[in-house]
Amino acid sequence: MAEASRWHRGGTPKHNLHYSKEVEIRTTLQELALYFIFLINLCILTFGMVNPHMYYLNKVMSSLFLDTSVPGDERTNFKSIRSITDFWKFMEGPLLEGLYWDEWYTNKTLYDLKNTSRIYYENILLGVPRVRQLKVRNNTCKVYSSLQSLMNECYDRYTSKNEDLADFGLKVETEWKYATPDSTSPWHWGFVGVYRNGGFIFTLSKSKSETKNKFINLQLNSWITRGTRVIFIDFSLYNANVNLFCIIRLVAEFPATGGIITSWQFYSVKLLRYVSYYDYIIASCEITFCIFLIVFTTQEAQKVREFKSAYFKSVWNWLELLLLVLCFVTVSFNIYCNIQIFLLLGDLLKNTEKYSDFYFLAYWHTYYNNIIAVTIFFAWIKIFKFISFNKTMSQLSSTLSCCIKDIVGFAIMFFIIFFAYAQLGFLVFGSQADDFSTFQNAIFTQFRIVLGDFNFAGIQQANRILGPIYFITFIFFVFFVLLNMFLAIINDTYSEVKADYSIGRRPDFELGKMIKKSYNNALEKLRLKKPEEGEDEKSAKSGDLVERARREGFDENEIQSAKQMKKWKERLEKKYYSAEIQDDYQPVTQQEFRDGTTTKYKMILSECLTK
C-alpha cells in the first residue's frame, strides 16, 4: 500500500485529468486568440490618435518662437533670455514678427485673410494672443534687522498667499487691474513655483503696429516690476491641412533670486476627431474597445465569484484588474474630453476679437493620451501571461519568482548606499553643479553615472577634494560591487532553475508544442503528412530491441534490470512532466535505483529501449 497511487486512494481518474488538461489548453488558446484581437484593436485606436504631423508642427513652431534671435543680438533668443531688457526685445522682435504674417515673401498681400493672421501661411491664429502676469506683494518676507537700513523692501517667492491682488500703475486698462482666476483652468507647474490663473492680463491687437505700440507703452510705464514672478504668453493655431490644433504657451519666470528662467509648452492635438473616413474607422475601434471591456469585466467578475479570495493570490489576476481599471479610466477621459470639446469649441471659434482659451482642452486631451499610453503598455505586458507556458519564458518567470526575496534584500542594501551618496552629493555639490542642484536631480544624476553618463569635470570643479573621492568610491561600491552582486543573484538563480528543468521540471503544457500538435493533426487529417507512430508500434519496436539484445549476448537478468530502469525513468519523468502523474505516480525505491545504476551497459541498453 505504500506504493499505491493517489488514484486508488480516491484521487481523480487519469482520463478526467487528461480531459481537464485538454479543456485548459483549449481555453487558453481561445483566450489568447481573443486577446490578440483586442490588442490589435487597441493598437489601431492608439496609433490613430497620433501622427508624425504633430511632431513637425511642434518643431516648426518652436523653431519660429524659441530659436529666432532678438534684433541686434544674434546670440539671444527666448531660450537664453536673462534680463527684463532681453524680454522686451523678444516681445518686440521674434514674438511680434512670428505672430503677424501680413504679406507673401514677394511683399504682395496674402490671399483673403478674413481678418486673421496665418503663421507660415498655413496656420490660422485663433482669436488673439494673451499676455498674463502674476505678482507678489511687498514685505512678504522679513529683512534681518541689521540690514533694514540698506533694504526696506522684500518680495518673496510666489505662492497664492503672497500674490498681489491690488491694481497698480496707470490703473486704467485691464493690464493694470487684477482679473480673478477661472476655476476651470488648470494651474501651471513651473520651475520655481506653481501658478494659478488670473492676474494682470492684456490681449494683443489684430494690427501689428497697434501691438508694437502697446509693448512700448507697457515698457515705458514699468508694467514689469520687482514683484513680477511670472509672465505667460498664450495663443492657439489651427492647421486645416492636417486637422491639428497647436496650443502654445511661452513662460518667463522671475525668481526671487533675480534673472529670468524660460520654459515653453507646445501641444499639437486633434480636437476635431471625426472628419475623414479613417477617423470613422477609429470610431468603430472605440466601440469595439468598449465591447471588449464589457466582456473582460464580465469574465473577471465570474472568476472572482468562483474563486473568491484565492483569485487575488495570482499576480496575473492583479494585472487583469489593473488593466480593467486603466481601460475604464481611459473611457472616462475620452467621454469627458469629447463632451468638453462639444460644449466649448463652438464658443471659442465664434469671437475672433478675444483670446480663445484652448489650453484647457489641450491639457485634458494630453492627459487622455498619457492614460491610454499607460494602458497599452500594460496590455502588452499581459502577453507574458500566455507565453509563460513556453519553456524558455517559464524559466525566466521562475527565475524572477525564485530570487525575489534575495532581490528585495539586495534592494534595501543598494538604496541605503545609493541615497547616502545622493545626500552627500546634494549637500556638497548642490550649490555649484546643476546636476546636484536638488535632491531629485542628485538621484537621477547617480543613475546616469551608473549608466556611464557623467560630468566628472563639473564634480571636480565643485569640490576638488570631496569630488574625486565621491566619484571613485561611488563607482567602486555601486558599479563594481553592488551591480555585480545583483547580476550574481540573477545568474545563480537562473542556473538552478535551468538545472531543475533539465531533470524534467517544466510547465504543465507548452503553448508552442500545443500549437504545433494542432497544426500536425490538421495536416494529418488533410492527408498532407503521415501519421506519427502509435503506442502499439512503439511496443513492437521495444520488443524488437529486446530480441536484438538477446542475440548480442545479454542474459535475461540484465535485460530485466534494463526494463526496470526504463520503468523507473518513465515514472520519474511523469513526476515532473505531466499533471496526470500526481494521481498515478508510484515512487521509485532505493533498491530499484541501485539495480538500475550498477553497470554502464544497463544504462546504454535502457537508452535503446527508451528510444
Side-chain angles (χ1 to χ4, degrees), residues 22-38 292 295-296 299 382 385-386 389 509 511 514-515 518:
E22 292 295 332
V23 171
E24 182 182 1
I25 294 171
R26 192 181 306 113
T27 303
T28 302
L29 292 176
Q30 291 174 354
E31 288 182 0
L32 179 60
L34 183 65
Y35 188 73
F36 265 116
I37 297 174
F38 166 76
F292 272 113
V295 172
F296 290 152
Q299 290 178 351
K382 186 184 171 183
K385 174 184 178 181
F386 301 101
F389 294 114
F509 66 93
L511 194 60
M514 293 301 104
I515 296 175
S518 302

Side-chain angles (χ1 to χ4, degrees), residues 117-134:
S117 175
R118 300 203 175 189
I119 300 174
Y120 273 124
Y121 312 114
E122 303 293 344
N123 305 282
I124 301 175
L125 181 63
L126 301 175
V128 293
R130 182 188 69 179
V131 181
R132 179 167 66 94
Q133 174 187 186
L134 293 176

Side-chain angles (χ1 to χ4, degrees), residues 11 27 39 41 55 67 95 199 206 291 305 407 409 435 595 597:
T27 303
L39 191 59
N41 178 82
Y55 167 76
D67 299 331
L95 180 67
K206 290 284 187 178
I291 295 174
R305 188 165 53 250
I407 290 179
D435 292 339
D595 294 342
T597 57

Side-chain angles (χ1 to χ4, degrees), residues 125 140 263 282 311 327 337 390 417 518 584:
L125 181 63
T140 49
S263 59
I282 300 300
Y311 173 86
C327 289
C337 290
N390 176 268
I417 297 177
S518 302
D584 192 41

Side-chain angles (χ1 to χ4, degrees), residues 283-442:
S284 64
C285 290
E286 291 176 347
I287 297 174
T288 307
F289 176 81
C290 294
I291 295 174
F292 272 113
L293 182 57
I294 295 173
V295 172
F296 290 152
T297 304
T298 305
Q299 290 178 351
E300 295 307 310
Q302 291 176 351
K303 291 180 182 178
V304 172
R305 188 165 53 250
E306 179 180 357
F307 297 104
K308 296 182 173 59
S309 61
Y311 173 86
F312 300 98
K313 296 181 181 180
S314 174
V315 176
W316 297 116
N317 292 337
W318 281 104
L319 179 61
E320 293 273 8
L321 294 177
L322 175 62
L323 190 58
L324 288 177
V325 171
L326 289 174
C327 289
F328 277 109
V329 173
T330 300
V331 172
S332 302
F333 264 85
N334 187 19
I335 294 174
Y336 178 77
C337 290
N338 286 333
I339 291 175
Q340 294 299 324
I341 291 172
F342 176 77
L343 296 176
L344 301 178
L345 188 60
D347 294 336
L348 292 174
L349 296 175
K350 280 182 181 178
N351 195 338
T352 61
E353 299 295 330
K354 294 183 178 180
Y355 167 70
S356 299
D357 190 4
F358 285 90
Y359 185 81
F360 173 77
L361 298 178
Y363 178 85
W364 286 108
H365 198 277
T366 302
Y367 266 93
Y368 169 64
N369 288 348
N370 296 340
I371 290 295
I372 202 169
V374 175
T375 302
I376 197 171
F377 170 79
F378 284 105
W380 278 103
I381 295 298
K382 186 184 171 183
I383 294 181
F384 284 104
K385 174 184 178 181
F386 301 101
I387 65 177
S388 63
F389 294 114
N390 176 268
K391 178 181 178 181
T392 302
M393 298 306 302
S394 180
Q395 287 181 356
L396 296 177
S397 60
S398 298
T399 300
L400 294 178
S401 61
C402 289
C403 69
I404 187 65
K405 293 183 179 179
D406 294 333
I407 290 179
V408 170
F410 166 81
I412 294 174
M413 178 178 61
F414 174 84
F415 283 109
I416 288 174
I417 297 177
F418 190 84
F419 285 121
Y421 271 101
Q423 188 93 22
L424 174 65
F426 169 62
L427 296 176
V428 175
F429 316 120
S431 61
Q432 303 294 327
D434 179 61
D435 292 339
F436 296 88
S437 58
T438 64
F439 185 68
Q440 295 86 347
N441 287 351

Side-chain angles (χ1 to χ4, degrees), residues 140-198:
T140 49
C141 53
K142 294 182 179 179
V143 181
Y144 189 66
S145 57
S146 300
L147 299 176
Q148 289 180 357
S149 60
L150 301 176
M151 177 178 292
N152 55 7
E153 296 177 341
C154 185
Y155 297 88
D156 199 2
R157 61 187 179 88
Y158 176 85
T159 62
S160 57
K161 295 181 179 179
N162 295 337
E163 186 174 359
D164 188 359
L165 308 181
D167 300 344
F168 74 107
L170 301 180
K171 300 182 181 181
V172 289
E173 301 290 343
T174 57
E175 58 265 28
W176 307 102
K177 296 181 180 181
Y178 184 82
T180 56
D182 185 2
S183 59
T184 60
S185 297
W187 289 28
H188 181 86
W189 187 6
F191 282 110
V192 294
V194 179
Y195 308 98
R196 67 174 181 176
N197 300 288

